[in-house]
Each structure stands twice: as structure tokens, then as C-alpha cells.
Amino acid sequence: MTQLSVAAPVRLSIRGNVVRAVYPAVLVGAVILIAWELAVHLFNIQPYLLPAPSAIVAEFGKSFSTIASAAQITTIAVIGGALLGAATGVIAAFIVALFEKFANTVLVLVAILSCAPVVALAPIFNAWFGATSLMSKIAVAAIMVFFPVMVATTKGLLSVHPLHRELMESLSASRFQLMVWVRIPGAVPSLFDGMRVGATLSVIGIIVAEYFGGTANALGVLIANSAALSQFPLTWAAVAAASLLGLVVYGAVMLIERLVAPWRFTPASR
């Protein structure tokens, strides 16, 4: 009985926090959509310039099967790119963290490399893996995810509290033990910070890479083809689907973070 009486307020508190976090974004989004709809009708904006949200929603429902089929292919590539980029980023971060003296130099080099237009590599990857191969798209997304994950995780691994380091040294802990018991738990929040950034970048990378060639029913190809045929409501509906995919991937990362690092969401951690 006591457990139930304690659990109920906790659930209500979590639900209230979620509502307070989501409500402002939903309200602002609703205001923007209403203003958008009114502006299109009041100023008689042509569909090829900017279709009304109602027209986009209608086209989304009309072409749902086409958009859903294209989204499936793109989603597979996004997940593959995010997982590959995150895995390689974490491995690289561990290697860099083992050599602390050179870590700052490596991070500077990584920052310089991350400034390069990664999506411009899409035609090269198409030549390597094939224009219709998912791997050519996954490679672009993986590189875009790699940089934020690697940098954030490395900084997390290197951010060891001096007291914790002294305690481990007083216990004659090895570098491996310091990594396992101090560095990795402390770097988990930083890893997910990088993953949240990488989640949205992976969708952008896949969509842009699909512009340079892809399977006939991918979202990027659908956007490019429908725009070329002046089917702008369909174009915007596919763009909306890509945006929704980005939100879903971002939400999935946050959900995993809540499961893996629940202490970040407790009132004491804020």
C-alpha cells in the first residue's frame, strides 16, 4: 500500500514534467501552422511557392502509402548510419582517451575535419558502393554522426573529477580500472549529448545523399522527383515525413538515455 502511495505521485510528477516540457513547443508549433495557413489564403500565395498546411496534410493522406514506403527505406539507412557512426565514434573516443597528452591535439584535428562538407562525399560513396546501394547513404550518415559522438564522448571520458582520480590512484587502480569504473560511467551523459546531435544529422545526411541517387522509393528521391514534376504538395508532405522521422529518431535517443542514465532526469541532477 505504501509503495502504491509513493509511486502514484512519482508518476504524476514525471507526467507533469513531460507536459511542461512538451506544451510550449506544441503551442508555438500550432501558432506557426495557423499563421502559415492564414498567410497563404490572405496573400493568395501560390502552391509552387508555399502550399497551405491543410493542402500538405491532405496530400500526406492521399499519398500515404507512397510516402510510407519511401520512409521505410530511408529509416533503415538512418538507423544503420546512426549505429555505425555512434559505434565508430565511441571506439575512437576510447582510443583517444587512453592517450590524454595527445587528446586535445586530436580533438582540434577532428574539429577541423568536421568542418568539411561531408554530404559532398555522397557522389564518391555512390561510385564506391553503387548509386542504389544503401551502404553509400549509410556511409554519409555515419560520418556525420561520428564527429559529434566522438568529440562529446572523448570530453566525457577525459572529464574525471580530481577527487575520483586520487581515490582510484590511492587504491592502486590501473588505467583500465579507471576507465571502467570512473571514465565510462561519467561519459555516458556526454555520449548521449553527442547522439542527440547525431540523430538529426543522420536524417539530414541520408536525405541529401539520396538526392545524388538512391532507390526509387527513398524519401530524398521522392522529394527531388516530386519537386522536378512541380508536385509541390507531395514535396512538402515528404519533407514533413522526413522531419517527423528526425523527431522520432531524436525521441528514441532520449528514451534510451532515460533507460541507460535515469539519474540525469532526477531533480537532484538538475
Side-chain angles (χ1 to χ4, degrees):
M1 187 68 180
T2 305
Q3 291 179 347
L4 291 175
S5 62
V6 173
V10 171
R11 286 196 296 268
L12 290 175
S13 176
I14 294 174
R15 194 174 303 168
N17 290 336
V18 172
V19 170
R20 284 194 294 272
V22 173
Y23 176 75
V26 172
L27 181 61
V28 172
V31 170
I32 291 175
L33 289 176
I34 292 171
W36 180 355
E37 183 78 24
L38 292 175
V40 168
H41 292 290
L42 289 176
F43 298 103
N44 194 27
I45 300 176
Q46 297 302 310
Y48 67 89
L49 293 176
L50 186 66
S54 57
I56 296 173
V57 172
E59 184 62 37
F60 192 93
K62 177 183 175 182
S63 306
F64 178 78
S65 59
T66 301
I67 295 173
S69 177
Q72 289 179 3
I73 303 299
T74 302
T75 301
I76 294 172
V78 167
I79 294 174
L83 292 177
L84 180 60
T88 53
V90 169
I91 293 172
F94 282 148
I95 295 173
V96 173
L98 291 175
F99 304 94
E100 292 186 58
K101 294 181 180 179
F102 306 99
N104 290 331
T105 302
V106 173
L107 289 177
V108 170
L109 292 175
V110 170
I112 294 173
L113 290 174
S114 66
C115 295
V118 178
V119 292
L121 297 175
I124 298 175
F125 290 145
N126 284 343
W128 287 359
F129 302 105
T132 59
S133 171
L134 277 179
M135 192 60 208
S136 61
K137 316 304 177 289
I138 289 174
V140 173
I143 294 177
M144 297 187 73
V145 174
F146 170 84
F147 289 115
V149 170
M150 187 267 181
V151 171
T153 306
T154 301
K155 289 183 176 180
L157 291 171
L158 295 176
S159 300
V160 180
H161 195 284
L163 181 61
H164 297 163
R165 184 189 292 273
E166 291 176 6
L167 177 61
M168 295 299 289
E169 290 177 351
S170 68
L171 296 173
S172 300
S174 64
R175 287 200 302 174
F176 176 77
Q177 290 172 322
L178 179 66
M179 176 71 76
V180 172
W181 296 108
V182 177
R183 291 188 188 277
I184 292 178
V188 169
S190 298
L191 166 62
F192 281 101
D193 288 341
M195 278 298 300
R196 284 199 298 272
V197 176
T200 53
L201 290 178
S202 64
V203 178
I204 296 172
I206 293 295
I207 295 296
V208 175
E210 288 173 347
Y211 277 27
F212 294 94
T215 55
N217 59 340
L219 271 180
V221 177
L222 178 62
I223 292 171
N225 291 344
S226 59
L229 296 173
S230 299
Q231 298 174 341
F232 295 106
L234 178 58
T235 303
W236 280 88
V239 170
S243 301
L244 181 60
L245 175 58
L247 290 174
V248 170
V249 175
Y250 186 90
V253 172
M254 292 194 66
L255 177 60
I256 295 172
E257 182 181 10
R258 282 183 175 272
L259 296 175
V260 175
W263 64 85
R264 289 201 73 184
F265 302 93
T266 58
S269 65
R270 296 175 183 175

